[in-house]
Amino acid sequence: MPIKLEGIFPPVPTPFDSDGEILPNKLQANLALWNRTGLHGYVVLGSNGEAVMLTESEKIALWQAARAAIPRDKLFLVGAGLESTRASIALAKRAAESGADAAMFVTPSYYKSTMKPAALIQHYRAIADASPLPTIVYNMPAATALDIDADTVIQLAEHPNIIGIKDSSGNVAKYAHIVRAVRPDFSVLAGSGGYAYPALCVGAQGAVAALANVAPRECVALYDAFRAGRHNDARALQLRLVQLNAAVTTRWSVPGLKAALEELNQGFYGGPPRRPLLPLAEADRAALRQVMRDAGII
Amino acid sequence: MPIKLEGIFPPVPTPFDSDGEILPNKLQANLALWNRTGLHGYVVLGSNGEAVMLTESEKIALWQAARAAIPRDKLFLVGAGLESTRASIALAKRAAESGADAAMFVTPSYYKSTMKPAALIQHYRAIADASPLPTIVYNMPAATALDIDADTVIQLAEHPNIIGIKDSSGNVAKYAHIVRAVRPDFSVLAGSGGYAYPALCVGAQGAVAALANVAPRECVALYDAFRAGRHNDARALQLRLVQLNAAVTTRWSVPGLKAALEELNQGFYGGPPRRPLLPLAEADRAALRQVMRDAGII
Amino acid sequence: MPIKLEGIFPPVPTPFDSDGEILPNKLQANLALWNRTGLHGYVVLGSNGEAVMLTESEKIALWQAARAAIPRDKLFLVGAGLESTRASIALAKRAAESGADAAMFVTPSYYKSTMKPAALIQHYRAIADASPLPTIVYNMPAATALDIDADTVIQLAEHPNIIGIKDSSGNVAKYAHIVRAVRPDFSVLAGSGGYAYPALCVGAQGAVAALANVAPRECVALYDAFRAGRHNDARALQLRLVQLNAAVTTRWSVPGLKAALEELNQGFYGGPPRRPLLPLAEADRAALRQVMRDAGII
Amino acid sequence: MPIKLEGIFPPVPTPFDSDGEILPNKLQANLALWNRTGLHGYVVLGSNGEAVMLTESEKIALWQAARAAIPRDKLFLVGAGLESTRASIALAKRAAESGADAAMFVTPSYYKSTMKPAALIQHYRAIADASPLPTIVYNMPAATALDIDADTVIQLAEHPNIIGIKDSSGNVAKYAHIVRAVRPDFSVLAGSGGYAYPALCVGAQGAVAALANVAPRECVALYDAFRAGRHNDARALQLRLVQLNAAVTTRWSVPGLKAALEELNQGFYGGPPRRPLLPLAEADRAALRQVMRDAGII
């Protein structure tokens, strides 16, 4: 049965101990808590999962742990994009063996001057041809300094095994351009909770949002309000959450996200990021708490 | 009576003859056509008005002509921002004498490394203190390579004579951040028609959109649909217009806008831009017509 | 007699009083001091002259004052670039009437997405055809967010009235590319004192350097050392001056330059910049003094 | 015995067969050819070695092959930088076991908003503390969209096991700033052959240059001319090579470099890059040959 990308998906952080070792059981414990909140699925090893920090065997261990903790009625998405096409395909196969439902591939970007539409198109088509999993394009300009354009996405959407894009550009005009041009079952997912509601308004079908880790019920409520046509409710939630979203993304990045999980005091494991990411400084943590209070989540 | 920035405002282009001389009567003739379309007002000498190409006396001549052609129930906004604070104030006084209702000031940007929040705040406050007209901040990163942040805007919104911002960043999360924090009568206007609807969804009160020059009724219909809660209609209009919007902004800039006015065949004067802007090449003009047909406006 | 762009040219700052009024006599007094230092000429109303802050009549007044204070054996260069081609030509004519020897024109940049090679080429050719003065291209990416490429410059160098480029990109590979391809009497001038020596090494014929306002003798000594083949001396001077150069350019911009002139205690007038530029804060001024001491100029 | 980074080092490309498999023996054959040219050493698995495309076992196989082919009087440098500190250290240990002389670490950049000086400093210090090999900082803004600043480099140079920086910013003013401030045995290496000579002029001690793969003797001649004080010769070589350098770097990237090796017809193996990099198109290859002829290397 084909999967449909719809709803709110947190890109879950990867728990490390104080020596930097992965803690798959903490990931499972976190998932058990999130499972109670109405989220529609998870992205395991996206940017917020510190995928670029992990070895292949660590990735597989985390995916296997996640698979065991994610109910079958929620989507289990993974980040499997690497710089080379062949390595991305190989990792997608590992993800499939680990039980994932679909795989996201961030745009290659190291040789960014060469990553023109033709290069990106052959990259994603080769992946989609070879991957046992449905393929999702992942656009993340803040990390890659590369922004895939609408025309390239529209061409990619012609491939039956490319089912959507997570786009973290925040360029809602681009989302509208894509939505108008692609087949109905190709999903655009907003890449952040800071513009989830306006993205839905122009036809996005959901969001992959770091915010959904720390405010899962609020994000799902925003989505449900939009789907029910309760636009005033959706807008109110969006305005209430926009600064909290910034806190766990652009302002303090993964260290902010992990600290926010801890500050919730709901049993989530945050823990330190892997170096060179530095744990949130204490002064920033105090400011984070204030943002969380302002958003009404603590 | 305080004015309220609400609705759809085209930044009208400046008509030139083939020698590059301004044609104020053609501006009046264009305005007479637009006056029949439900637009809520006009911006005369914004970026699309080629303000940076004009002498002060040309600006005044164009404003005076516009004043005579704009009914009192529509807002007459002007672009009066220059690199220096004192020159901006002086020009705002000329605009007031010409009968404008409010003036927009693009962020100074030549010394961009020094245009930190403190510099921008003193600039806009000095203008707002001295200008006889209500002051509107104008953020135009594509031209200035400078993007004013939400916190700076929120501070500026505390000044009683700063009534809004036209923000062409397209960053709807920033709009939401600002809307949540400022007084209710401070308006955020989307700076482009490509994201007018999602901007309205997060609390923007309208748009200054080049698109509204060539699709005024459609832009007003989008706004009216939003205000009436007919979100599906607003979305459909937004999707239909998004590529046309790109054609007259990011893709072909002012030359595309002027060519599109001509291609409408409704009596609008387009004419050439001032050099170094080049008239649209014939091949591009054919592509433009196709975009206009796709959008259903020709 | 054709002029040849060779040597060290400070882009002189524009003196303002505490009300922001221009002080042409202070400019003359500064020039009288610089005249004793071996500088090869001056740029009056470049970026460091706050040209974008001035009215046309102020510009003419300053040029006329400068003309009277600049000996005939030093080059009197002016900045006359504006966004429109016709206005740039008109201003070049005013500069010629004021007695300038040649005029620099910064790349138009407001409509930067349209400033492709074809647009820049017709802009500069039209200026060079119409201007009574020799034409110099001025590339200033830090201000314009636009960087003219080598191939465009090489094409422009075919015009007999385009005699050189001041390039503030610091891209010495580009300088080498241009130098190899153009006629021998087309000059490349480094746009900053931070890389004057390596630029000379690849064939630049001099520099327009803010640094030369505050360290004129040292800049001339660097140039002379290079010309005499005393590379170790040139290198030593370059290393000694590189942080001072940053202080009066990238680090503190025009306010830093003006403060440094004052800190020399040699009679130069610095004074405040025009708003929105803010005078150097006292803490920064103390840091500036330390940089000046480290460079051995106070 | 401490090593000293001096001279010309090509970052050698990685040979792949038409299926994308590594060909260590072709690397050895290439090295045998380069060994006859006077080069001072090699970087194996830098950006031009497509390091980001390779698995760890492929990297080790290539390093072991290179070790066997590189004479002991030439430096064997490797690229061992990864996003995480711990993985970079682990890979440095593999490089040491493979017989490398020193290891370069590109700046982590995925979480670029967080890669502030404090994060970079702890990253490089941790590597330098733990790595069995001398540590070289590698700055590559065209790939990483991150540019390490002079002050950070100067702080890093205080660590006894950090012996230099390869800086591909081309910012020769920065090189001068660093050179003046650091201990004499800390080397700045230019990161490209397009500005090798001007970099040497301000105190760089050599270059890691893709150009040196295709024009090794010319690059060494440039270096020797500089060292002997024959500046005119060095300049002439620099001007002659600058466009060829662009061809194998900014213009056509690794595919251009590999094609240029083939076009030399000297027995070098070029071969295809790994996808998503695309082989040079035939029209580009013809243009490349023209550039090579203009530079006098074919």
Side-chain angles (χ1 to χ4, degrees):
Chain A
M1 191 192 69
I3 66 168
K4 186 73 168 67
L5 295 174
E6 287 182 325
I8 302 295
F9 306 90
V12 301
T14 294
F16 298 111
D17 69 17
S18 57
D19 293 327
E21 301 299 326
I22 59 168
L23 296 170
N25 62 324
K26 294 294 185 189
L27 175 59
Q28 292 181 314
N30 282 351
L31 287 164
L33 292 168
W34 284 313
N35 282 337
R36 303 175 194 159
T37 61
L39 290 166
H40 304 87
Y42 306 95
V43 175
V44 181
L45 302 188
S47 298
N48 284 289
E50 296 175 66
V52 295
M53 305 293 198
L54 299 170
T55 65
E56 182 174 301
S57 60
E58 289 173 330
K59 291 179 184 182
I60 293 169
L62 289 159
W63 285 335
Q64 291 176 338
R67 175 68 285 174
I70 299 174
R72 291 287 158 177
D73 63 343
K74 295 182 188 294
L75 281 178
F76 171 27
L77 310 177
V78 299
L82 296 168
E83 283 290 330
S84 93
T85 307
R86 61 191 270 146
S88 300
I89 292 169
L91 190 55
K93 291 178 179 172
R94 298 297 86 70
E97 292 160 4
S98 304
D101 293 314
M104 292 179 6
F105 300 85
V106 69
T107 55
S109 66
Y110 194 79
Y111 303 98
K112 44 181 60 62
S113 69
T114 68
M115 287 300 105
K116 301 199 169 69
L120 292 171
I121 285 171
Q122 62 90 17
H123 175 71
Y124 282 109
R125 284 186 180 160
I127 290 171
D129 285 344
S131 170
L133 295 176
T135 296
I136 304 166
V137 178
Y138 177 18
N139 187 46
M140 180 63 180
T144 63
L146 185 151
D147 191 10
I148 196 169
D149 64 26
D151 288 332
T152 302
V153 177
I154 291 165
Q155 283 188 65
L156 290 173
E158 294 171 7
H159 193 294
N161 196 33
I162 302 182
I163 64 166
I165 182 169
K166 176 200 168 178
D167 191 325
S168 298
S169 68
N171 182 343
V172 288
K174 192 214 285 187
Y175 302 170
H177 183 168
I178 295 169
V179 165
R180 190 189 186 214
V182 298
R183 63 183 204 267
D185 60 336
F186 181 93
S187 287
V188 173
L189 298 179
S192 170
Y195 44 80
Y197 167 58
L200 291 166
C201 289
V202 294
Q205 273 119 342
V208 176
L211 176 68
N213 287 295
V214 294
R217 287 183 178 82
E218 290 80 0
C219 288
V220 171
L222 184 158
Y223 178 77
D224 289 343
F226 169 80
R227 298 274 286 192
R230 289 182 284 104
H231 280 266
N232 288 340
D233 293 346
R235 176 183 308 112
L237 277 161
Q238 182 67 82
L239 296 191
R240 175 150 77 88
L241 296 172
V242 70
Q243 282 186 263
L244 176 60
N245 180 78
V248 298
T249 58
T250 51
R251 188 167 177 189
W252 289 307
S253 189
V254 176
L257 171 60
K258 289 187 163 181
L261 277 181
E262 294 174 352
E263 296 295 337
L264 282 176
N265 279 321
Q266 296 176 1
F268 287 104
Y269 183 85
R274 259 194 188 164
R275 305 288 169 126
L277 289 173
L278 297 173
L280 205 64
E282 192 45 53
D284 290 333
R285 192 177 274 260
L288 170 64
R289 278 191 293 268
Q290 189 56 48
V291 172
M292 294 174 77
R293 280 191 288 267
D294 289 346
I297 67 158
I298 62 171
Chain B
M1 191 192 68
I3 66 168
K4 186 71 167 67
L5 294 174
E6 286 181 326
I8 302 296
F9 306 90
V12 301
T14 294
F16 298 111
D17 68 18
S18 58
D19 293 326
E21 300 299 325
I22 59 169
L23 295 170
N25 61 324
K26 295 292 186 189
L27 175 59
Q28 291 181 316
N30 282 351
L31 286 164
L33 292 169
W34 284 314
N35 282 337
R36 302 174 196 160
T37 60
L39 291 165
H40 304 87
Y42 305 96
V43 175
V44 182
L45 302 188
S47 298
N48 284 289
E50 295 175 66
V52 294
M53 305 292 198
L54 300 169
T55 65
E56 184 174 300
S57 61
E58 288 174 329
K59 291 179 183 183
I60 293 169
L62 288 160
W63 285 336
Q64 290 176 338
R67 175 68 285 173
I70 298 175
R72 292 287 158 176
D73 63 343
K74 294 182 187 293
L75 281 178
F76 172 26
L77 311 177
V78 299
L82 296 167
E83 283 290 331
S84 94
T85 308
R86 59 190 270 148
S88 300
I89 292 169
L91 190 56
K93 291 179 178 171
R94 298 296 85 72
E97 292 160 5
S98 304
D101 293 315
M104 292 179 5
F105 301 85
V106 69
T107 54
S109 67
Y110 194 80
Y111 303 98
K112 43 182 61 62
S113 69
T114 67
M115 288 300 105
K116 301 198 170 70
L120 291 171
I121 285 171
Q122 61 90 19
H123 175 71
Y124 282 109
R125 284 186 179 159
I127 289 171
D129 285 344
S131 169
L133 296 176
T135 296
I136 304 166
V137 178
Y138 177 19
N139 187 46
M140 180 63 180
T144 62
L146 186 151
D147 191 10
I148 196 169
D149 65 25
D151 288 332
T152 303
V153 176
I154 292 165
Q155 284 187 64
L156 289 173
E158 294 171 7
H159 193 294
N161 197 33
I162 301 181
I163 64 166
I165 182 170
K166 175 197 170 182
D167 191 325
S168 298
S169 68
N171 183 343
V172 288
K174 192 214 286 187
Y175 303 171
H177 184 167
I178 295 169
V179 164
R180 189 187 187 217
V182 298
R183 63 182 204 267
D185 59 337
F186 181 92
S187 288
V188 173
L189 298 180
S192 171
Y195 43 79
Y197 167 58
L200 291 166
C201 289
V202 294
Q205 273 119 344
V208 176
L211 176 68
N213 287 294
V214 294
R217 287 184 179 83
E218 289 80 358
C219 288
V220 171
L222 184 158
Y223 178 77
D224 289 344
F226 170 79
R227 298 273 287 194
R230 290 182 284 104
H231 280 266
N232 288 342
D233 294 345
R235 177 183 308 112
L237 277 161
Q238 181 68 81
L239 295 192
R240 176 152 76 89
L241 295 172
V242 70
Q243 282 187 264
L244 177 60
N245 181 78
V248 299
T249 58
T250 51
R251 188 168 177 189
W252 289 307
S253 191
V254 175
L257 172 59
K258 289 186 162 181
L261 276 182
E262 294 173 353
E263 296 295 338
L264 282 176
N265 279 322
Q266 296 176 1
F268 286 105
Y269 183 86
R274 260 195 187 162
R275 305 285 170 124
L277 290 173
L278 296 173
L280 205 63
E282 192 45 51
D284 289 334
R285 192 177 273 259
L288 169 64
R289 278 191 295 268
Q290 188 55 48
V291 173
M292 294 173 78
R293 279 191 289 267
D294 289 346
I297 68 158
I298 61 170
Chain C
M1 192 192 67
I3 67 168
K4 185 72 168 67
L5 294 174
E6 287 181 323
I8 303 295
F9 306 90
V12 300
T14 294
F16 298 111
D17 69 17
S18 58
D19 293 327
E21 301 299 326
I22 59 168
L23 296 170
N25 61 325
K26 294 293 186 190
L27 175 59
Q28 291 181 315
N30 282 352
L31 286 164
L33 292 168
W34 285 312
N35 283 337
R36 303 175 195 161
T37 60
L39 291 165
H40 303 88
Y42 305 96
V43 175
V44 182
L45 303 188
S47 298
N48 284 289
E50 295 175 66
V52 295
M53 304 294 197
L54 300 169
T55 66
E56 183 175 300
S57 60
E58 289 173 330
K59 291 179 183 182
I60 293 169
L62 290 159
W63 285 336
Q64 290 175 338
R67 176 66 284 174
I70 299 174
R72 291 288 158 175
D73 63 343
K74 294 181 188 293
L75 281 178
F76 172 27
L77 310 176
V78 299
L82 297 168
E83 284 290 330
S84 94
T85 308
R86 62 190 271 147
S88 300
I89 292 169
L91 190 56
K93 291 179 179 173
R94 297 298 84 70
E97 293 160 4
S98 304
D101 293 314
M104 294 179 4
F105 300 86
V106 69
T107 55
S109 67
Y110 196 79
Y111 302 98
K112 43 182 61 64
S113 69
T114 68
M115 287 300 106
K116 303 199 169 71
L120 292 171
I121 285 171
Q122 61 90 19
H123 174 71
Y124 281 109
R125 285 186 180 159
I127 290 171
D129 286 343
S131 169
L133 296 176
T135 297
I136 305 166
V137 177
Y138 178 17
N139 187 46
M140 180 63 181
T144 63
L146 185 151
D147 191 9
I148 196 168
D149 64 26
D151 288 332
T152 302
V153 176
I154 291 166
Q155 284 187 65
L156 290 174
E158 294 170 7
H159 194 294
N161 197 33
I162 301 182
I163 64 166
I165 181 170
K166 175 199 170 181
D167 190 325
S168 298
S169 68
N171 183 344
V172 288
K174 193 214 286 187
Y175 302 171
H177 183 168
I178 295 169
V179 164
R180 191 188 185 215
V182 297
R183 63 182 204 268
D185 60 334
F186 181 93
S187 288
V188 173
L189 298 179
S192 171
Y195 45 79
Y197 167 58
L200 290 166
C201 289
V202 295
Q205 274 119 341
V208 176
L211 176 67
N213 286 295
V214 295
R217 287 183 178 83
E218 290 79 0
C219 288
V220 171
L222 183 158
Y223 177 77
D224 289 343
F226 170 80
R227 298 273 287 193
R230 291 183 282 103
H231 281 266
N232 288 342
D233 292 346
R235 177 183 308 112
L237 277 161
Q238 181 68 82
L239 297 191
R240 176 152 76 88
L241 296 172
V242 69
Q243 282 186 264
L244 176 60
N245 180 80
V248 298
T249 57
T250 50
R251 188 168 176 187
W252 288 306
S253 190
V254 176
L257 172 59
K258 289 186 162 181
L261 276 182
E262 293 173 353
E263 296 294 338
L264 283 176
N265 279 321
Q266 295 175 3
F268 287 104
Y269 184 87
R274 260 195 187 165
R275 305 287 169 124
L277 289 173
L278 296 174
L280 205 63
E282 192 44 54
D284 290 333
R285 191 177 273 259
L288 169 64
R289 278 191 294 267
Q290 189 55 49
V291 172
M292 294 174 78
R293 278 192 289 267
D294 290 345
I297 66 158
I298 61 171
Chain D
M1 192 191 70
I3 67 168
K4 184 72 166 68
L5 295 174
E6 285 181 326
I8 302 296
F9 306 90
V12 302
T14 294
F16 299 111
D17 68 16
S18 58
D19 292 328
E21 300 300 324
I22 59 168
L23 296 170
N25 62 325
K26 295 293 186 189
L27 175 60
Q28 291 181 315
N30 282 350
L31 286 164
L33 293 169
W34 284 314
N35 282 337
R36 303 175 196 160
T37 60
L39 290 166
H40 304 87
Y42 305 96
V43 175
V44 182
L45 303 188
S47 298
N48 284 289
E50 297 177 64
V52 294
M53 304 293 198
L54 300 169
T55 66
E56 183 174 300
S57 61
E58 289 174 329
K59 291 179 183 182
I60 292 169
L62 289 159
W63 285 336
Q64 290 175 337
R67 175 68 285 173
I70 298 175
R72 291 288 158 177
D73 63 343
K74 296 182 187 294
L75 282 178
F76 172 27
L77 311 177
V78 299
L82 296 168
E83 284 291 330
S84 94
T85 308
R86 61 189 269 147
S88 300
I89 292 169
L91 189 56
K93 291 179 179 172
R94 298 296 85 71
E97 293 160 4
S98 305
D101 293 315
M104 293 178 6
F105 300 86
V106 69
T107 54
S109 67
Y110 194 80
Y111 302 98
K112 45 183 57 64
S113 69
T114 69
M115 287 300 105
K116 300 199 170 71
L120 292 171
I121 285 171
Q122 61 90 20
H123 174 71
Y124 282 108
R125 285 186 178 159
I127 290 172
D129 285 345
S131 170
L133 296 176
T135 297
I136 304 167
V137 178
Y138 178 17
N139 187 46
M140 180 63 180
T144 63
L146 186 150
D147 190 10
I148 196 169
D149 64 25
D151 287 333
T152 302
V153 176
I154 291 165
Q155 284 188 65
L156 290 173
E158 294 171 6
H159 194 293
N161 197 32
I162 301 181
I163 64 166
I165 181 170
K166 174 198 169 180
D167 190 325
S168 298
S169 68
N171 182 343
V172 288
K174 193 214 285 188
Y175 301 171
H177 183 168
I178 295 169
V179 165
R180 190 187 186 215
V182 297
R183 63 183 204 268
D185 60 336
F186 181 94
S187 289
V188 173
L189 298 179
S192 170
Y195 44 80
Y197 167 58
L200 290 166
C201 289
V202 295
Q205 274 118 341
V208 176
L211 176 67
N213 287 294
V214 294
R217 287 184 179 84
E218 290 80 358
C219 289
V220 170
L222 183 157
Y223 178 76
D224 289 343
F226 170 79
R227 298 272 288 192
R230 291 183 282 104
H231 280 266
N232 288 343
D233 293 345
R235 177 183 309 113
L237 277 161
Q238 182 68 80
L239 296 192
R240 176 151 77 89
L241 296 171
V242 69
Q243 282 186 266
L244 176 60
N245 180 80
V248 298
T249 57
T250 50
R251 188 167 176 189
W252 288 307
S253 190
V254 176
L257 172 59
K258 289 187 163 182
L261 276 182
E262 294 174 353
E263 296 294 339
L264 283 176
N265 278 322
Q266 296 176 1
F268 286 105
Y269 184 87
R274 260 194 186 165
R275 307 287 170 123
L277 289 174
L278 297 174
L280 205 63
E282 192 44 53
D284 290 333
R285 192 178 274 259
L288 170 64
R289 279 191 293 268
Q290 189 54 49
V291 172
M292 294 174 78
R293 279 191 289 267
D294 289 347
I297 67 159
I298 61 171

